[in-house]
Structures are given as C-alpha cells and as structure tokens.
Amino acid sequence: MRIASWNVNSIKSRLEHVKSWLEAHEPDVLLLQELKGTEFPSAAFLEIGYQSVAVTQKTYNGVAILSRTPIVTLSTTLAGDEADSHARYLEASVGGIHIVNIYLPNGNPPGSENFAYKLAWMDRLQRQMSRWAESGTEVLIGGDFNVIPEDIDCHKPESWMRDALFQPEPRARYRALLQLGYTDAFRSLHPGEAGQFTFWDYFRQAFEHNRGIRIDHFLLSPKLAERLVSCVIDKEPRKQVKPSDHTPIIVELNL
DNA sequence: ATGTCGCCTCATAGGCGA
C-alpha cells in the first residue's frame, strides 16, 4: 500500500497539479493539507478514480483524504478542545488501515497566541497518540507537522532559529511522539541523510538552492513500522509552474 | 526586515497567514 501526503497551498490553485500527479503515480491514498477554501472538487477526483473526504473551512487550513477504495471517516476533530474549530484533522479507516491526516498549526511568531495554540495542539495530539499506543491501535499519522525535527532537517539552522517550526518546545514535543513508540518513516530509512526537504520558501530561489526544511512526515505505530518498505520525497512537483511550496512524500507499506 | 504566494474584502490595493 502506498500512501502519499502533500500540502498543496490551495486546492483550487493546484487542482491540475494534483490530478496529473495522481494519474502519474497512482498511490492508494493521498493526504492533502492547506486546501484553503470551503469548496472541495470531489467530482474532479472521482472522474480519475479517487473517492474523497474533506474537512474544510473558509480561507484557511483544510485537510482531505483521497483513496481508490472506500474511506470510512472516524473523526474530523482532534480530541481535547471542543472550542477548536480549525479544519486540521481527519481520521479514517482505508483498506483496513487506520490513517490520520494532520495539518499541525504553524505557530509563528514564537511566543505569540499562535505559538501557544500550536503547543496545545501538539499536547492534544500526544495524548491521542498515547491512547492509541496504550490500546495497541496500529495507526499511521501523516501530514504537515510544521516541525523541523533535527538540525539535519534544514539547510542552515541559523536561518530558522527565530522560526516557530524550529523552536525547542515543538521539537521536544515531536521527539515525545517518537518516544511513545512511533517511527519517523523517512528518517528511519534515511538516517543521517542531509538535504532532504519537503518545503522550500517561494522567495529568494530557495528551491533552486535547496534551501528547505523537512516538515511533512509519516509516523508509524510499531507493527506498521515493521511493514515499512520505502519512504521517498518526490521533488518533481516543486519544479513545475505555479507549484505549491511543499512537495509530496510517499510511504510504502507491505501489508 | 526582507523575500513570494493565495485568500479575502469596507475589492482592483492592502492585510493576513504561511
């Protein structure tokens, strides 16, 4: 089973990019983040053989799961805050696999209300992942985590020192997720490999110089991690005209 | 501080979020 994740930075602006990528790669499942609008073009994806479930809001955020087989929605909200109305979480069962798509808050600037919301969101995610670990629920969590896990995951730590994605607090929380027994699929298969990024700023020709960060991740529960075959970043979509600032990451599991 | 996108509106320019 191949599962991909892609922050598209507006599905309206990126519909043709996503469709052509799906037709070329035919993943079983695609997780999308940052849809940026209430309209989701489910009919356009159905035409090319993908069913979909989307959680949307006006202007901001938004996540969707696309699949060639039926999707059973389990939850559209992350537990722990009834007042949180952001469209950032979608939990589903697809082909017998428990899949969670997240768009973790950006949190900039550090020290702001946004930053506090990010940390609280990560605490809620940790509690949920802890419950799954305790109950032995095998689950894959994928998406835009908005966390640069280690120094090796950015081109130059100095450039990200003042950014929320690189602060000690979110990084400590990301490590805490791993300590619960989850595996960072990409890093486990590519230990010590530098220069592997999923996001590059639009400005200053960041992509051309490979000045990026690795913030789109797949975390696997123990038994799924045993089934991990490959995890690759496809840089090709980032080279296209009018690209998203993120590019897809694809994980393969032998089920 | 800046760079560049995409969205929205007290809309055709500017603010916000990323």
Side-chain angles (χ1 to χ4, degrees), chain A residues 52-239:
Chain A
S52 61
V53 175
V55 182
T56 64
Q57 74 182 79
K58 191 177 175 183
T59 311
Y60 303 119
N61 310 316
V63 289
I65 297 178
L66 277 60
S67 169
R68 290 148 72 85
T69 59
I71 304 160
V72 179
T73 302
L74 300 175
S75 178
T76 58
T77 57
L78 174 61
D81 183 357
E82 299 297 312
D84 184 0
S85 60
H86 289 202
R88 298 183 175 276
Y89 184 94
L90 179 53
E91 181 180 344
S93 180
V94 186
I97 302 297
H98 196 144
I99 294 174
V100 182
N101 182 9
I102 66 166
Y103 177 43
L104 207 148
N106 175 298
N108 269 306
S112 65
E113 265 183 46
N114 282 353
F115 192 68
Y117 173 65
K118 175 182 197 145
L119 298 184
W121 208 94
M122 293 192 80
D123 288 339
R124 287 161 60 197
L125 180 63
Q126 188 189 336
R127 284 194 287 276
Q128 184 58 59
M129 289 174 67
S130 177
R131 284 192 285 273
W132 287 325
E134 282 169 23
S135 63
T137 303
E138 297 300 324
V139 56
L140 171 151
I141 302 99
D144 179 358
F145 282 66
N146 268 318
V147 177
I148 302 166
E150 305 292 340
D151 288 9
I152 194 179
D153 296 310
C154 67
H155 69 284
K156 194 168 104 181
E158 210 175 278
S159 306
W160 295 93
M161 288 286 269
R162 278 156 240 91
D163 196 286
L165 282 57
F166 200 63
Q167 294 309 298
E169 298 92 334
R171 293 174 73 188
R173 280 165 174 77
Y174 186 86
R175 285 196 299 275
L177 302 180
L178 305 182
Q179 283 156 12
L180 290 173
Y182 295 86
T183 296
D184 179 330
F186 182 85
R187 188 51 76 202
S188 74
L189 291 175
H190 304 272
E193 210 174 296
Q196 296 296 325
F197 308 130
T198 63
F199 167 96
W200 300 260
D201 267 317
Y202 284 123
F203 28 83
R204 293 191 205 157
Q205 295 185 295
F207 181 69
E208 287 74 4
H209 295 108
N210 198 31
R211 292 194 283 254
I213 51 180
R214 190 175 72 91
I215 57 174
D216 298 273
H217 309 301
F218 283 111
L219 297 186
L220 306 175
S221 62
K223 292 223 165 55
L224 288 180
E226 287 174 15
R227 299 291 187 163
L228 177 58
V229 175
S230 70
C231 188
V232 296
I233 298 162
D234 179 11
K235 289 175 75 168
E236 291 306 312
R238 189 64 178 78
K239 299 175 183 173

